[in-house]
Amino acid sequence: MIARVDVSLLLASARIGVGVLLIAAPTVVLPREDAGNGTNAVLMRTVGVRDLVLGGGAVLAWTRGRPDEFRRWASAGLASDTGDLLVGICGARLVGRSGAIKAVAVVAPWVAAGAVGHVRGSHRQDRAPRSR
């Protein structure tokens, strides 16, 4: 028997992990030359807070057995990641082609996974466990 992974739940859980990492150690993800810049560390932490809130909200909705609420949180995460993707594409003038490619490469898998989860979820009924 093959277990089917709920991509949206996996993504929400990963988002929590990324959020915690970015809050606790924001310079880990920055290029070495940018790691000493306090502004960059603060910006990474704000991204971490966003990811922690979006992922936490989705996982909490899942555990409470609220599939409609879970889908709203997952959709908000997908919208946020899509916005990041568009900013990366449009930011080529500011950061150069190489910088834009890096920005898009970081977020594109999240957008793809979110889209897959959204499509799969739209074909299922009540994916989250029922509340007692």
Side-chain angles (χ1 to χ4, degrees):
M1 177 189 215
I2 297 174
R4 188 152 197 170
V5 176
D6 189 303
V7 176
S8 294
L9 180 60
L10 185 63
L11 196 59
S13 301
R15 192 180 295 282
I16 291 171
V18 168
V20 169
L21 172 68
L22 292 177
I23 293 166
T27 59
V28 169
V29 299
L30 293 171
R32 185 167 291 169
E33 62 272 10
D34 294 335
N37 182 323
T39 301
N40 289 337
V42 169
L43 290 173
M44 285 295 100
R45 282 192 171 110
T46 64
V47 173
V49 169
R50 178 193 69 183
D51 280 344
L52 183 61
V53 169
L54 288 170
V59 170
L60 188 60
W62 177 274
T63 59
R64 290 182 174 172
R66 297 182 178 155
D68 290 340
E69 185 179 334
F70 174 77
R71 282 189 278 280
R72 280 191 293 276
W73 279 105
S75 294
L78 177 58
S80 176
D81 292 336
T82 301
D84 289 345
L85 181 75
L86 294 173
V87 166
I89 292 168
C90 295
R93 290 184 183 157
L94 294 173
V95 297
R97 186 175 183 202
S98 175
I101 289 170
K102 289 176 188 174
V104 168
V106 167
V107 74
W110 291 83
V111 172
V116 167
H118 187 73
V119 168
R120 281 187 182 174
S122 67
H123 296 297
R124 291 190 204 156
Q125 296 286 332
D126 291 352
R127 296 176 310 153
R130 299 242 178 232
S131 55
R132 295 181 185 127

